[in-house]
């Protein structure tokens, strides 16, 4: 079965040793976006769990938007 993943902002779960200016800026703005727009963000680990769940047949949806990916990562149908 083919699934198209359409995640929103993918928040990295590991720190990089060097950060560019834009990455430093996003480090400060990300908590605000997480509160204001939680449906448009997903952690990289959660994205991986969701894609594995979809590959294992947890959903029949052909397009997985960010909300569907968050639900799959949480183990919800």
């Amino acid at each position: 079965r083919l699934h198209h993943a359409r995640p929103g902002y993918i928040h990295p779960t590991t720190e990089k040793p060097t950060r560019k200016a834009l990455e430093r800026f996003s480090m400060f703005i990300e908590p605000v976006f997480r509160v204001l727009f939680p449906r448009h963000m997903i952690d990289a680990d959660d994205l991986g769990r969701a894609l594995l769940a979809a590959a294992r047949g947890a959903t029949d949806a052909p397009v997985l938007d960010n909300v569907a990916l968050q639900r799959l990562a949480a183990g919800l149908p």
Side-chain angles (χ1 to χ4, degrees):
R1 172 148 274 191
L2 177 66
H3 298 285
H4 297 277
R6 297 185 51 103
Y9 170 74
I10 302 170
H11 180 259
T13 53
T14 58
E15 295 296 323
K16 290 198 262 184
T18 60
R19 290 194 179 266
K20 296 179 181 168
L22 183 60
E23 292 171 336
R24 286 193 301 267
F25 174 73
S26 70
M27 184 175 68
F28 293 108
I29 199 79
E30 184 266 329
V32 175
F33 280 176
R34 190 173 290 276
V35 171
L36 295 176
F37 308 109
R39 296 171 53 128
H40 299 286
M41 299 181 72
I42 191 165
D43 290 333
D45 291 342
D46 290 341
L47 178 61
R49 277 192 287 280
L51 293 176
L52 286 173
R56 291 182 181 135
T59 184
D60 291 331
V63 178
L64 302 171
D65 63 1
N66 205 56
V67 174
L69 292 168
Q70 289 171 339
R71 291 178 58 81
L72 283 172
L76 301 172

